[in-house]
Amino acid sequence: MICKSIPASQLDSFVRIHPYGHYMKTSMWAKLQKHNQPHFYGFYDQDELKGTAMILERKQLGIHYFYVPWGPCLDYSDSDLSEQCLRGLIQLAENAKVDFLRIDPNVLRMERDIKGNPIEGGENHEDVTALLKSLGFVHKGYGYAYNGSWVNRYTLIIDLSPSLEEIVKHFSKARQNSLRRHAVIGVSTRLGTVEDIPQLCEFERQLSQIQGFKPHTETFFQDLLEAFGEHAVLYVTEIDLDQMINGIQQEIDSGKYHKDPEALQSKLKEKEKAADLKARYGTKPAIAAGLFLRLGEQSWDLYTYNHKDFNFIKAVDNLHRFAVEDMKNHGVLHYDMCGFSGVTEKSDPHFGLYDYKRSFGSIYTERIGEFDYLRHPQRTARWKKADRFRRRVKRKLIALHYGKQEKQA
């Protein structure tokens, strides 16, 4: 196996159609990593390209490391190929005299049902974990998702191979009910443009004031759209408040609430609320927005937010329904809803996110996690400790800042 530098275009072409491809393995993602020096390598068996690696090199706080997001792009079911490519990656790290090399391969650990229970007789790729350990990599372990890892090894993915009707049929009753309601009250989703980025930013800002995180700038989203070009797509969900008002009035006029005064009062209040929202935001305001990436047969929901004053509309349900159809029309088979804690118990503080994402008939997906090849274990350990402290302080300062904004609001 020969390892050599390759052009960005060759790397991207290989990753785009590979089963283990990922947007973070491309040169497009590398463009956005302002503090890292990217390197693009190919692994060749004679003249045939068998794998690639997008390596981010960084020197920070006295440490020098290589990071390969989601691991090298290769067929991990071929153990011989995997070992040779990983040895080649290790040799690159040795030649560069880095302190450590980090990878987190997007390799399925094992098949699980939606509650996280292992499926008897299902796929299991813990042999890849064993291979990495045998080559000298240190495994972070199969722990909680939010344990400081650089990527989240748990996610929920919708299988888009069935017909659209079959996919929607597996949405929960709550999701299907909201979609039917959207048809009555005038909720619809469209493809967005760069001009819609301010809406996305505003909705993220609203959420940041509730959850205490730092929102992204318009420039951040513009750079992401520019870097990924045709592989990036923005969706915008809107509501026609005139239609909502008329639709509610028609329901009232139909007499369906004649024998249910409480339901009638509820509808009258809903109509009044719609009129108030129209006075504040106009006839057809945007109420949700989402920025997605797609590459070959895969797509990722990176940033999706809704307008806090329209929470009761459940606009993101409509956005996902539209995005699923659009992605399917572009040949996407795996609709990645991007991350959750990995815990399915109601006691988990992040259960709500899991509960929502599973309501679209998604598949519980667990990857094998994070691995470090340590050339200088003590230096790396000191850096990790300092980096954990730095990130902890940064999180607290951000939460404090945005928490104060929420109280003032």
Side-chain angles (χ1 to χ4, degrees):
M1 188 67 63
I2 298 172
C3 177
K4 62 182 180 181
S5 180
I6 60 174
S9 58
Q10 188 177 11
L11 175 97
D12 293 342
S13 295
F14 184 86
V15 171
R16 186 173 63 250
I17 61 174
H18 199 279
Y20 284 93
H22 193 282
Y23 73 89
M24 290 177 69
K25 298 185 180 189
T26 68
S27 69
M28 295 173 281
W29 179 251
K31 289 179 185 176
L32 300 171
Q33 311 312 303
K34 307 296 185 184
H35 303 291
N36 298 283
Q37 173 64 43
H39 305 280
F40 311 135
Y41 283 95
F43 301 101
Y44 286 85
D45 182 359
Q46 296 185 18
D47 292 330
E48 184 180 0
L49 183 62
K50 304 289 284 187
T52 61
M54 194 282 282
I55 302 174
L56 297 175
E57 180 180 11
R58 190 169 186 182
K59 296 178 180 179
Q60 176 197 42
L61 301 176
I63 202 79
H64 181 197
Y65 65 79
F66 276 177
Y67 175 46
V68 186
W70 292 111
C73 188
L74 55 93
D75 181 4
Y76 289 89
S77 66
D78 184 334
S79 58
D80 220 23
L81 172 67
S82 299
E83 179 173 351
Q84 291 189 61
C85 290
L86 289 167
R87 287 189 183 279
L89 200 57
I90 289 171
Q91 191 59 54
L92 289 172
E94 293 284 358
N95 293 346
K97 295 182 171 55
V98 298
D99 291 296
F100 71 93
L101 159 68
R102 174 167 294 181
I103 65 174
D104 32 38
N106 56 332
V107 174
L108 183 73
R109 179 190 175 191
M110 64 175 67
E111 280 191 285
R112 297 181 182 273
D113 63 24
I114 193 59
K115 292 185 178 180
N117 301 309
I119 296 175
E120 187 175 351
E123 284 187 57
N124 186 307
H125 300 290
E126 291 178 312
D127 58 315
V128 180
T129 299
L131 171 61
L132 284 159
K133 287 182 176 180
S134 73
L135 294 175
F137 283 89
V138 177
H139 189 205
K140 191 177 181 71
Y142 297 128
Y144 189 64
Y146 306 123
N147 62 358
S149 297
W150 288 357
V151 297
N152 189 339
R153 67 189 188 89
Y154 293 100
T155 190
L156 290 155
I157 298 176
I158 304 174
D159 177 11
L160 300 190
S161 57
S163 68
L164 182 62
E165 291 73 21
E166 189 67 23
I167 294 169
V168 175
K169 189 185 297 183
H170 284 86
F171 289 4
S172 70
K173 289 184 178 179
R175 304 285 77 79
Q176 293 186 47
N177 287 340
S178 66
L179 292 174
R180 282 192 287 269
R181 187 64 183 162
H182 291 166
V184 175
I185 62 176
V187 178
S188 61
T189 301
R190 61 173 174 81
L191 292 175
T193 67
V194 68
E195 283 74 28
D196 293 300
I197 287 178
Q199 294 284 8
L200 180 68
C201 288
E202 171 58 20
F203 300 156
E204 185 190 38
R205 185 194 65 79
Q206 292 174 6
L207 184 63
S208 76
Q209 292 184 329
I210 297 170
Q211 296 189 354
F213 65 87
K214 184 179 180 180
H216 296 92
T217 64
E218 288 187 24
T219 301
F220 170 85
F221 291 119
Q222 289 167 351
D223 288 348
L224 201 157
L225 285 174
E226 182 179 350
F228 280 89
E230 64 180 5
H231 301 290
V233 58
L234 189 64
Y235 299 110
V236 179
T237 302
E238 300 170 329
I239 184 168
D240 186 331
L241 290 169
D242 278 341
Q243 182 177 332
M244 182 177 183
I245 293 168
N246 293 334
I248 295 171
Q249 187 60 53
Q250 288 174 14
E251 290 177 322
I252 294 171
D253 293 342
S254 71
K256 65 187 294 186
Y257 304 113
H258 181 66
K259 295 182 180 181
D260 191 346
E262 288 188 11
L264 176 59
Q265 286 301 312
S266 176
K267 285 298 169 183
L268 288 170
K269 287 182 180 179
E270 188 178 354
K271 180 184 173 185
E272 183 180 345
K273 185 173 185 178
D276 177 61
L277 289 169
K278 178 184 174 182
R280 294 167 62 190
Y281 299 111
T283 302
K284 198 170 183 180
I287 58 175
L291 197 160
F292 289 60
L293 296 180
R294 58 184 169 223
L295 196 69
E297 296 182 347
Q298 302 181 78
S299 72
W300 297 267
D301 172 14
L302 298 193
Y303 304 99
T304 297
Y305 310 104
N306 67 284
H307 195 307
K308 64 180 179 63
D309 289 344
F310 292 84
N311 280 338
F312 68 103
I313 299 294
K314 298 179 174 59
V316 175
D317 293 0
N318 196 282
L319 190 150
H320 278 302
R321 164 62 179 78
F322 182 92
V324 162
E325 182 174 9
D326 183 55
M327 290 300 183
K328 189 173 174 62
N329 290 339
H330 282 82
V332 170
L333 297 179
H334 310 287
Y335 184 96
D336 195 329
M337 302 191 84
C338 287
F340 75 109
S341 71
V343 178
T344 63
E345 303 298 325
K346 290 185 178 180
S347 58
D348 182 69
H350 303 284
F351 175 80
L353 182 64
Y354 158 74
D355 195 38
Y356 181 72
K357 291 182 177 182
R358 73 168 174 172
S359 69
F360 289 89
S362 52
I363 299 167
Y364 186 114
T365 305
E366 177 193 13
R367 273 59 178 267
I368 59 174
E370 187 175 280
F371 297 79
D372 286 342
Y373 181 81
L374 305 173
R375 292 191 66 255
H376 295 289
Q378 292 183 340
R379 282 167 51 84
T380 302
R382 287 195 297 269
W383 174 82
K384 284 184 179 181
K385 185 176 181 180
D387 188 58
R388 281 195 297 270
F389 177 77
R390 178 187 63 81
R391 287 188 286 116
R392 190 181 305 119
V393 170
K394 183 179 178 180
R395 283 196 302 270
K396 288 184 176 180
L397 290 174
I398 289 173
L400 180 64
H401 175 69
Y402 289 95
K404 284 184 178 180
Q405 280 195 348
E406 180 188 7
K407 292 175 183 178
Q408 291 170 359

